[in-house]
Amino acid sequence: MREIDIFDTTLRDGEQQPGLNLNLDEKLEIAKQLDRLGVNIIEAGFPASNEGDFHSVQKIARAVKNSTVTGLSRVVKKDIDTAYEALKDTANPRIHIFIATSDIHIKHKLLMTQQEVLDAAVEAVRYAKQKFPVVQFSAEDACRTSWDFLTKISSEVIRAGVDVINLPDTVGYTTPNEIKAMFQHMKQHVHDVEKIKLSAHNHDDLGMAVANSLAAIEGGADQVECTINGIGERAGNASLEEIAVALQIRKDYYAANSTLKLNELKRTSNLVSKLTGTIVPGNKAIVGANAFAHESGIHQDGVLKESTTYEIITPELVGVEKNSLPLGKLSGKHAFKTKITELGFELEEDDLKRVFKAFKDLAHKKKSVTDDDIFALLTAEKSGS
Ligand code: KIV
Ligand code: ZN
């Protein structure tokens, strides 16, 4: 079974979500929880971008006990020096250097040539390697970069001493088949690729960030970069919790897994949601309020008989106490009877039929039927009204 490194970038790429602004204490609280969750790498910020980021990266680097802490840097010496100052006190410092490699970015944003990009990347990696034990290089917009140039720049940064090469789908443009093929191509053609780890970093503009991350793993990626609840710029990043649980549940298929403490996922999601003010949709996989709720009668009956009929993930696996069977207009008698037993009532079959009919009438009028509603129906039945 291959072990996949989980690189969390909630505090860097996640914080690029419009309107999001975490203070130092909040960042520290999230970093400590990520450490508890067992993520392999925490990207704590971009130290050279502003003083606030510098201080929070430094505080996180000093506070985190187990995870590697990293900070982002452009391919410039000043950024690398600043990142070193922020990260030097952590047990396992890593620098994360990036420059764009696609023609579209090189021509319109960087106003450089491919050769200048390659030289800048190699020089930055060589310089960073003198200070950091682990150097990661990202080819920004890799998924829209020609495979020839991607192969060439990757081979050159390996020669300069890089340890991890990250190939981001910066604009969420790629598809699972394409990204798998790209990683397979890199594994076959990059010189000395076996000396380093390859990493995927996917954005969700077409809703494929998680699928692309898993496909990248199939293609040979050893590390995936992601955020809690999928927060991030535009449509966000790949969701950490979805990737981690997909690996656990389908390890038979991927022959790979993470070492995360999955039962910390719900707590981590709640914390990030609370501190960022980003509401998690009810139907969000793994951490949404409805992820373990069954409302239709047929599903409730199945789950009550044997939970695996409709649950591929146990709630406890991800730190949710138990599943729920909310009662609504589609609910059946089995779930209703279970609920009234939970509420401490026992009814003869005829009485049960009558109260169930009253419940169905009410459920057609209300969006959701609460325990209090059912209690009222039951006490009305008892008092004969
Ligand atoms: O999306 C991206 O390309 C990035 C890089 C800086 C890694 O966030
Ligand atoms: Zn990104």
Side-chain angles (χ1 to χ4, degrees), residues 163 275 329:
D163 303 282
L275 296 182
K329 66 178 183 195

Side-chain angles (χ1 to χ4, degrees), residues 12-13 201 203 237:
R12 198 279 298 169
D13 223 2
H201 171 120
H203 282 267
N237 290 56

Side-chain angles (χ1 to χ4, degrees), residues 9 12-14 16 43 96 140 166 168-171 201-203 225 233-234 236-237:
T9 183
R12 198 279 298 169
D13 223 2
Q16 288 178 213
E43 186 162 50
H96 179 192
E140 191 191 8
N166 183 40
D169 183 21
T170 303
V171 290
H201 171 120
N202 295 306
H203 282 267
E225 303 195 356
E233 189 113 24
R234 306 184 311 278
N237 290 56

Side-chain angles (χ1 to χ4, degrees), residues 136-310:
Q136 170 169 331
F137 171 73
S138 278
E140 191 191 8
D141 207 17
C143 292
R144 291 193 301 168
T145 299
S146 84
W147 286 4
D148 275 356
F149 186 52
L150 210 50
T151 306
K152 187 169 172 193
I153 197 167
S154 299
S155 301
E156 290 300 324
V157 292
I158 292 174
R159 203 199 306 270
V162 89
D163 303 282
V164 182
I165 296 179
N166 183 40
L167 303 173
D169 183 21
T170 303
V171 290
Y173 176 76
T174 201
T175 68
N177 284 343
E178 283 171 352
I179 199 166
K180 180 176 171 184
M182 183 181 82
F183 274 85
Q184 284 171 333
H185 179 89
M186 300 295 282
K187 280 276 187 198
Q188 276 168 17
H189 293 95
V190 171
H191 192 65
D192 281 343
V193 73
E194 64 288 347
K195 290 187 177 163
I196 59 128
K197 287 189 176 184
L198 285 180
S199 165
H201 171 120
N202 295 306
H203 282 267
D204 208 29
D205 299 66
L206 294 176
M208 293 193 276
V210 170
N212 285 338
S213 304
L214 295 166
I217 290 171
E218 284 187 80
D222 312 284
Q223 169 181 292
V224 282
E225 303 195 356
C226 38
T227 62
I228 299 295
N229 300 334
I231 64 168
E233 189 113 24
R234 306 184 311 278
N237 290 56
S239 279
L240 180 150
E241 58 282 359
E242 293 181 19
I243 295 172
V245 175
L247 285 177
Q248 168 64 23
I249 298 296
R250 295 309 313 272
K251 53 183 181 294
D252 60 322
Y253 177 79
Y254 291 107
N257 206 346
S258 78
T259 53
L260 293 194
K261 296 185 186 73
L262 299 179
N263 61 1
E264 289 290 336
L265 282 173
K266 180 67 174 167
R267 196 195 317 275
T268 315
S269 163
N270 289 349
L271 180 71
V272 170
S273 172
K274 185 181 88 180
L275 296 182
T276 61
T278 309
I279 293 162
V280 174
N283 65 341
K284 171 101 167 59
I286 320 299
V287 291
N290 298 337
F292 300 99
H294 310 271
E295 186 169 312
S296 82
I298 292 171
H299 288 215
Q300 290 177 333
D301 183 50
V303 166
L304 284 166
K305 287 172 174 153
E306 166 54 47
S307 63
T308 55
T309 51
Y310 288 101

Side-chain angles (χ1 to χ4, degrees), residues 35-201:
D35 197 22
R36 235 170 270 133
L37 173 64
V39 305
N40 305 85
I41 303 112
I42 296 173
E43 186 162 50
F46 185 169
S49 67
N50 62 77
E51 249 183 64
D53 254 39
F54 177 86
H55 288 300
S56 55
V57 173
Q58 191 174 54
K59 276 251 152 83
I60 290 167
R62 288 174 180 167
V64 162
K65 295 282 170 275
N66 305 302
S67 308
T68 287
V69 181
T70 191
L72 190 66
S73 165
R74 290 170 299 178
V75 291
V76 294
K77 288 185 177 159
K78 182 183 77 61
D79 278 22
I80 297 169
D81 292 340
T82 309
Y84 180 71
E85 283 310 309
L87 290 163
K88 65 182 180 195
D89 297 331
T90 191
N92 305 303
R94 173 187 295 204
I95 188 157
H96 179 192
I97 298 169
F98 79 101
I99 188 166
T101 51
S102 65
D103 284 346
I104 199 161
H105 275 238
I106 293 178
K107 180 169 173 221
H108 299 290
K109 185 184 80 172
L110 297 176
L111 312 177
M112 292 166 83
T113 63
Q114 272 192 350
Q115 189 60 47
E116 286 167 340
V117 167
L118 191 142
D119 292 344
V122 166
E123 202 186 325
V125 168
R126 260 201 212 112
Y127 183 71
K129 199 62 195 170
Q130 293 164 24
K131 293 171 174 263
F132 287 89
V134 178
V135 175
Q136 170 169 331
F137 171 73
S138 278
E140 191 191 8
D141 207 17
C143 292
R144 291 193 301 168
T145 299
S146 84
W147 286 4
D148 275 356
F149 186 52
L150 210 50
T151 306
K152 187 169 172 193
I153 197 167
S154 299
S155 301
E156 290 300 324
V157 292
I158 292 174
R159 203 199 306 270
V162 89
D163 303 282
V164 182
I165 296 179
N166 183 40
L167 303 173
D169 183 21
T170 303
V171 290
Y173 176 76
T174 201
T175 68
N177 284 343
E178 283 171 352
I179 199 166
K180 180 176 171 184
M182 183 181 82
F183 274 85
Q184 284 171 333
H185 179 89
M186 300 295 282
K187 280 276 187 198
Q188 276 168 17
H189 293 95
V190 171
H191 192 65
D192 281 343
V193 73
E194 64 288 347
K195 290 187 177 163
I196 59 128
K197 287 189 176 184
L198 285 180
S199 165
H201 171 120

